[in-house]
C-alpha cells in the first residue's frame, strides 16, 4: 500500500513538472502545422453551424437578455397591484432594498419573470420564422414565374428624352385635373 502511494506521488510530480516546465510541449499540436499556424484562431465559416442552431441561439440570447427588464417590469407590476389592492402604503420603488419579500412572493416574481422572458424569446422566434417563410415563398414565386424581366441599357440621351416625356405627361394631367375641379359659371354658387 505504501509502495502504491509513493509510486502515485512520484508519477504525479513527474506529470506536474512536465506541465509546469513546458506546457507548450505537453499540449503541442502533432498535426504537423507550424507553431504560428496552430496558435491563430480561425473564423467560423458561414456553413459551420446548422441554421436551426443559429435560430435557437438567437432565441436563447433574447430570452436571457430580457430577464433583467422583465424582472423590473414584474416587480413594478406586483408593487402596483399591492398598492391598488391596499396592501402597500406607498407606491412601490423597485430599487428600495428595505422592501422584503417573503419566499412565496419571490417564487411568484421569478416564475412570472421566467414566463415573460420565455414569451418574449418565443415571440421573436416565431416572428423571425414567419418572416423567413414569407421571404422563401416570395422567392419561390419569383423563380417559378414565367415572366422574366429583361433589362435593356439605354444611353443618357434616351434617358433624358424619357424624363422629358414623363414630365410633359405629368404637367398635362395636372392641368386637365385642375380644369375639371373648377366649378362652371352658374353652378354650385
Amino acid at each position: 500500500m505504501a509502495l502504491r502511494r509513493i509510486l502515485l506521488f512520484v508519477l504525479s510530480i513527474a506529470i506536474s513538472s512536465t506541465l509546469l516546465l513546458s506546457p507548450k510541449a505537453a499540449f503541442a499540436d502533432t498535426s504537423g502545422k507550424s507553431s504560428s499556424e496552430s496558435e491563430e484562431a480561425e473564423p467560423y465559416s458561414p456553413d459551420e453551424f446548422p441554421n436551426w442552431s443559429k435560430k435557437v441561439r438567437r432565441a436563447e440570447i433574447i430570452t436571457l437578455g430580457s430577464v433583467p427588464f422583465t424582472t423590473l417590469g414584474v416587480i413594478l407590476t406586483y408593487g402596483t397591484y399591492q398598492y391598488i389592492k391596499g396592501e402597500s402604503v406607498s407606491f412601490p420603488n423597485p430599487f428600495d432594498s428595505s422592501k422584503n419579500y417573503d419566499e412565496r412572493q419571490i417564487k411568484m416574481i421569478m416564475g412570472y419573470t421566467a414566463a415573460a422572458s420565455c414569451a418574449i424569446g418565443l415571440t421573436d422566434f416565431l416572428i423571425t420564422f414567419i418572416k423567413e417563410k414569407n421571404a422563401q415563398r416570395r422567392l419561390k414565386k419569383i423563380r417559378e414565374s414565367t415572366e422574366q424581366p429583361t433589362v435593356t441599357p439605354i444611353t443618357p440621351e434616351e434617358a433624358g428624352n424619357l424624363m422629358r416625356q414623363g414630365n410633359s405627361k405629368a404637367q398635362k394631367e395636372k392641368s386637365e385635373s385642375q380644369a375639371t375641379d373648377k366649378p362652371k359659371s352658374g353652378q354650385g354658387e
Side-chain angles (χ1 to χ4, degrees), residues 7-19:
L7 188 58
L8 186 62
F9 178 73
V10 170
L11 186 60
S12 64
I13 289 177
I15 292 172
S16 300
S17 63
T18 304
L19 293 176

Side-chain angles (χ1 to χ4, degrees), residues 27 74 82 85 112 154 156-157:
F27 298 110
V74 167
Q82 283 183 324
K85 196 173 174 185
Y112 282 127
I154 59 174
E157 293 81 23

